[in-house]
Amino acid sequence: QVKKQCDQKLLIRMKTKCVPCSLNLDTQCPAGYTKITNGTGTPDCRYYLEIKTHTLSFPGCRHRCIKEFEQPECCQGHWGPDCMGK
């Protein structure tokens, strides 16, 4: 039995919005994504607050999220919607 379908595994990475670290404990990743950071997340961003005529910038935190995705693909030498071509 020759394998015709060789699906590719893709990892999609994203980061949540930058917020004050103290508020980031409960931040969830979007549906289908898995959170790979713990606690308050990674302190690698800045968030902005507008106060009247000024915009203030503060250090903040965000979480990293990943999603595993299977990309259907035919093995080498096969093609077509059902990977039957040779």
Side-chain angles (χ1 to χ4, degrees):
Q1 179 71 22
V2 177
K3 196 170 174 214
K4 299 176 186 80
Q5 186 101 8
C6 294
D7 293 350
Q8 294 292 317
K9 268 195 174 154
L10 300 177
L11 275 184
I12 303 168
R13 298 169 192 273
M14 59 91 57
K15 292 176 182 169
T16 58
K17 201 175 84 179
C18 191
V19 296
C21 294
S22 57
L23 300 179
N24 204 34
L25 274 168
D26 300 326
T27 300
Q28 296 302 313
C29 292
Y33 283 82
T34 305
K35 195 191 287 186
I36 57 170
T37 42
N38 297 319
T40 56
T42 313
D44 66 347
C45 61
R46 296 189 78 77
Y47 67 95
Y48 301 91
L49 278 184
E50 284 182 34
I51 298 171
K52 294 186 181 163
T53 56
H54 293 41
T55 301
L56 303 177
S57 165
F58 297 97
C61 291
R62 56 190 173 177
H63 282 291
R64 289 200 177 103
C65 309
I66 57 165
K67 180 181 190 177
E68 210 171 77
F69 179 73
E70 289 247 328
Q71 171 104 2
E73 245 176 61
C74 297
C75 298
Q76 199 171 352
H78 295 81
W79 63 87
D82 51 5
C83 299
M84 293 304 282
K86 270 191 156 251

